[in-house]
Amino acid sequence: MTYRSRGRSVFEVVLAICFVTFLVGFITVLCIGNYFRAKRAQERQRQRRLQKVGQEAGSAHPTSSRSGYATDSSYPSAAGGGSYEAPSVARGGNGVSA
């Protein structure tokens, strides 16, 4: 069964092939770009982790390298602002877990 059996012209077949090629190429470019973006992000994360480990190993007081992070006293429960309890999840009778 060829394209002639369905009444397609050569122009329509070439146009369809060009369209499919464009779609496949576009998706391929997106996938390759996403791969390299994720690779760079992974390398940045690795560098940050190594830098953090190096700072903690080199400092006499390990919490001094955490200056950019929230301290325990900034949380409401530690400051006497109350406690937090996670909401409970109701289990359905149909056997599907949340």
Side-chain angles (χ1 to χ4, degrees), residues 20-40:
V20 170
T21 303
F22 171 77
L23 283 180
V24 170
F26 185 74
I27 292 171
T28 302
V29 167
L30 286 178
C31 290
I32 290 171
N34 190 43
Y35 168 77
F36 283 110
R37 182 194 57 81
K39 194 173 176 181
R40 282 192 313 267

Side-chain angles (χ1 to χ4, degrees), residues 23-97:
L23 283 180
V24 170
F26 185 74
I27 292 171
T28 302
V29 167
L30 286 178
C31 290
I32 290 171
N34 190 43
Y35 168 77
F36 283 110
R37 182 194 57 81
K39 194 173 176 181
R40 282 192 313 267
Q42 183 180 18
E43 184 60 28
R44 283 193 307 264
Q45 181 67 29
R46 180 178 169 272
Q47 292 298 328
R48 281 195 299 262
R49 187 178 64 245
L50 290 175
Q51 184 181 22
K52 182 180 176 184
V53 169
Q55 285 177 350
E56 287 180 357
S59 71
H61 195 266
T63 58
S64 64
S65 65
R66 299 178 64 200
S67 61
Y69 298 105
T71 61
D72 290 338
S73 63
S74 66
Y75 292 110
S77 61
S83 63
Y84 172 77
E85 184 176 332
S88 62
V89 177
R91 296 261 179 195
N94 60 1
V96 178
S97 61

